[in-house]
Amino acid sequence: MGRKVKNLLQSLRDKEFVWLPKVQTLKAFGSFLYWMSPTVISAVVFIGCAVTKSAPLNAETIFTVLATLRNLAEPVRMVPEALSIMIQVKVSFDRLNRFLLDEELNNDDSERKFKECSVNAVEIQDGNFIWDHESVSPTLADVNLEIKWRHKIAVCGPVGAGKSSLLYAILGEIPKISGTVNVGGTFAYVSQSSWIQSGTVQDNILFGKPMDRTRYEKAIKACALDKDINDFSHGDLTEIGQRGINLSGGQKQRIQLARAVYNDADTYLLDDPFSAVDAHTAAILFNDCVMTALREKTVILVTHQVEFLSEVDTILVMEGGKVIQSGSYESLLTAGTTFELLVSAHKDTITELNQDNKHKRGSDNEVLSNPQSSHGFYLTKNQSEGEISSIKDPIGTQLTQEEEKVIGNVGWKPFWDYIDYSKGTFMVCFIMLALFAFMAFQTASTFWLAIAIEIPKVTNATLIGVYTLVSFASAAFVYVRSYLTALLGLKASTAFFSKFTTAIFNAPILFFDSTPVGRILTRVSSDLSILDFDIPYSITVVASVAFEILVIICIMVSVTWQVLIVAVPAMVASIYIQQYYQATARELIRINGTTKAPVMNFASETSVGVVTVRAFNMVDRFFKTYLTLVDTDASLFFHSNAAMEWVVLRIEALQNMTVITASLLIILLPHGYVAPDQISS
């Protein structure tokens, strides 16, 4: 099964990769057009000048045209990128629009009326409720219900009868077609499927409430959690994994039951809270929690345990989305209807289980009498103690550790590992060769114009033809460089994703217990996206800028060597500023990489338990917590950009100082010391 799921993930990734090569190829073609456009346009302008003789092909004309076209190239290149971004924005806005305009719960006064009533805690009159408005029949029909304060109400019925939907109707979670719902006081809700937050046991029980030690101890004891907490490695400060994955089903159910008891609400809605515990624990919870700790509270209990129904005040029997019977235990038994069938079916099941247990005890005795088969006995014993030992930690450390991040400079090792793991060493070499050839041809085309203008024997056709051929060659090498970069990124992305899926499916259970889902999702989304798009092009850009700086310095020195007086100190200052910036920016980016996972983890976790959050009236607290997490992530993103602007401002100041110095030297040098064509180039 694991191999099938892995193959499914790989096929989904392959579907995404169908578009990735096309996008990368388009980027390579865009780079080719970016460098070809000035060449083609300038060649056309030169040919026009030569044919019409409107302007002489001298240094002033040629280099003025080239400078103008190169200044226009960047804005022209941004036009298709801007259009692409606008299309992405349009798609994103449409998706957000559909999401924000989706159907929402209507929590105004027409849905649920909160009022202080001295008689009834919950009143429903002629209530009709439906989950899907396109459905023909309502989920709950003709519901008429009156629940008095401090009464214990049991709701029973077959599977799919609408018991949980009745609780949702009281909470206002299910859309109402008609009727009125009047409720009073505060609510505490225990869902059928346990919802546990990441954090400590204490945090899950308190659920945002201030600590009241006496009430806290009573809630723990009433929910039979005292023995479990004593066996935990850190007591109630023991950390719970994602969705309570390191707890048993019974422990999770009792923790969320303790959360409801500690909340000290007026009305308790318990949706089959005994389904995940054994019969003995269920009896303790019913007597100590429901009938004792909540004796002064209104309790609506959905249950299949018929043995507890004789203790409640009123029993509601549901079938087909309707309350078909209501009354006390004795009156419903004497009525001889559906409720009697439920009780009879339960007694028959208990009888069959007792017979099976007698047969099992006989088998266990045989195992005990046979020393060679004693392993089966110990296995059963270990399983019975599973709830207590499931969270034991012999080392004494918390389960979920803080996300690790490297501190300081790690050098070039990650980039070499990226190239080596994707087996792209030769490809990187070819990229560097293509980059070097591009810079060489690009410089040669400019030098050809500067030199050929001074040679009288060179005709206009030769001048334009050689320039065009050299420029086409440089643009071709740009395309080769961009295309190889795209292939390198695609190859590396495939290799890393395959290794990622293999590592995930081979990871032990402890890894998933101790690693939040948000952290895994961050690795597979934003981190892999950086591997897909950013790293290969960043390697190319860094190498290209380095080559370009060296070429520019060589050209400037060949024209006016005096510029070195300012250029060398400027380069030293630039290196110092960049090192100073990198020490800060590196840590900011690393911290920013660890702040995305809590946001994703909290959002996914809250969406699962949103009904519980609304029932406990904790929406504002969760919203503030979410905003705090988002602000933490956004503040680091802001500081990273601020640091980038800081270094750009200083580097550009040094660059402008160097250019101004070179210009002043050219002006102050004696007339004829530097040829005009060299200055233009």
Side-chain angles (χ1 to χ4, degrees), residues 303-547:
T303 183
H304 292 281
Q305 276 77 9
V306 180
E307 62 270 20
F308 301 140
L309 298 182
S310 59
E311 304 294 330
V312 301
D313 299 309
T314 305
I315 301 172
L316 303 178
V317 182
M318 297 192 67
E319 187 174 4
K322 296 182 178 180
V323 180
I324 59 174
Q325 287 180 285
S326 64
S328 63
Y329 182 81
E330 292 77 10
S331 62
L332 292 179
L333 275 181
T334 56
T337 51
T338 305
F339 180 73
E340 186 180 6
L341 296 177
L342 288 174
V343 176
S344 300
H346 177 73
K347 290 181 179 179
D348 295 339
T349 303
I350 294 298
T351 303
E352 293 178 1
L353 289 175
N354 290 333
Q355 293 177 355
D356 292 340
N357 288 334
K358 290 180 181 179
H359 178 70
K360 186 176 180 181
R361 289 194 194 99
S363 300
D364 289 342
N365 291 331
E366 292 179 2
V367 171
L368 286 171
S369 63
N370 186 2
Q372 297 178 353
S373 304
S374 60
H375 178 70
F377 168 74
Y378 290 111
L379 180 62
T380 306
K381 181 180 179 181
N382 289 338
Q383 288 177 345
S384 67
E385 295 175 353
E387 288 191 2
I388 296 177
S389 62
S390 61
I391 200 169
K392 286 290 288 182
D393 189 356
I395 302 177
T397 57
Q398 290 288 18
L399 184 65
T400 303
Q401 302 295 325
E402 290 187 7
E403 190 169 357
E404 296 180 359
K405 59 181 183 294
V406 181
I407 299 176
N409 187 11
V410 295
W412 292 92
K413 187 178 183 303
F415 297 99
W416 292 123
D417 292 341
Y418 173 85
I419 296 171
D420 181 65
Y421 187 77
S422 58
K423 296 180 175 59
T425 305
F426 289 104
M427 198 173 294
V428 171
C429 293
F430 284 122
I431 291 173
M432 294 297 108
L433 288 175
L435 178 60
F436 180 77
F438 158 70
M439 294 300 300
F441 279 108
Q442 186 73 13
T443 306
S445 65
T446 305
F447 266 102
W448 163 253
L449 291 176
I451 296 172
I453 291 173
E454 301 297 325
I455 302 175
K457 294 182 180 181
V458 177
T459 62
N460 291 337
T462 305
L463 177 70
I464 298 172
V466 173
Y467 168 74
T468 304
L469 289 176
V470 175
S471 298
F472 265 98
S474 66
F477 279 106
V478 166
Y479 178 79
V480 172
R481 182 202 68 183
S482 301
Y483 185 74
L484 291 177
T485 303
L487 289 181
L488 174 65
L490 181 62
K491 191 175 181 180
S493 182
T494 305
F496 277 97
F497 182 78
S498 299
K499 185 64 176 178
F500 178 85
T501 53
T502 302
I504 286 293
F505 281 97
N506 292 334
I509 294 298
L510 180 62
F511 170 79
F512 297 100
D513 289 349
S514 59
T515 306
V517 173
R519 195 176 297 177
I520 299 175
L521 293 177
T522 303
R523 298 293 88 79
V524 78
S525 57
S526 60
D527 290 348
L528 280 182
S529 177
I530 292 174
L531 290 177
D532 291 346
F533 298 102
D534 295 348
I535 290 183
Y537 281 98
S538 297
I539 295 174
T540 305
V541 168
V542 169
S544 176
V545 170
F547 274 123

Side-chain angles (χ1 to χ4, degrees), residues 167-292:
L167 299 186
Y168 285 137
I170 297 173
L171 291 172
E173 295 290 337
I174 180 172
K176 184 182 65 174
I177 303 175
S178 61
T180 59
V181 179
N182 299 325
V183 297
T186 57
F187 284 89
Y189 172 67
V190 176
S191 59
Q192 188 174 13
S193 56
S194 304
W195 179 68
I196 300 295
Q197 280 187 283
S198 300
T200 63
V201 176
Q202 184 182 104
D203 293 337
N204 275 273
I205 296 176
L206 296 180
F207 205 55
K209 296 282 187 178
M211 169 61 80
D212 184 338
R213 179 56 61 178
T214 303
R215 187 172 57 173
Y216 180 77
E217 296 293 342
K218 289 181 179 179
I220 289 175
K221 188 174 182 180
C223 298
L225 276 173
D226 46 353
K227 293 182 180 180
D228 297 85
I229 290 178
N230 291 333
D231 288 321
F232 289 165
S233 58
H234 294 81
D236 60 351
L237 297 180
T238 300
E239 191 169 355
I240 299 174
Q242 183 86 27
R243 302 182 307 277
I245 197 171
N246 57 327
L247 297 174
S248 68
Q251 288 172 332
K252 289 190 287 187
Q253 195 69 281
R254 281 179 284 150
I255 286 176
Q256 72 165 356
L257 188 60
R259 174 203 300 155
V261 173
Y262 183 81
N263 190 65
D264 195 24
D266 298 318
T267 303
Y268 286 78
L269 306 179
L270 311 180
D271 193 354
D272 204 5
F274 310 137
S275 58
V277 298
D278 56 68
H280 176 69
T281 307
I284 294 176
L285 292 177
F286 181 79
N287 293 321
D288 294 350
C289 180
V290 177
M291 302 305 296
T292 303

Side-chain angles (χ1 to χ4, degrees), residues 57 76 109 198 201 262 293 308 394 447 484 525 574 597 611 635 654 661:
L57 286 180
V76 170
D109 293 339
S198 300
V201 176
Y262 183 81
F308 301 140
F447 266 102
L484 291 177
S525 57
S574 176
V611 177
S635 63
L654 293 173
T661 303

Side-chain angles (χ1 to χ4, degrees), residues 565-586:
I565 300 173
V566 178
V568 172
M571 290 178 60
V572 174
S574 176
I575 293 173
Y576 173 77
I577 291 172
Q578 290 185 7
Q579 290 178 347
Y580 187 83
Y581 157 76
Q582 287 176 357
T584 303
R586 186 168 48 236

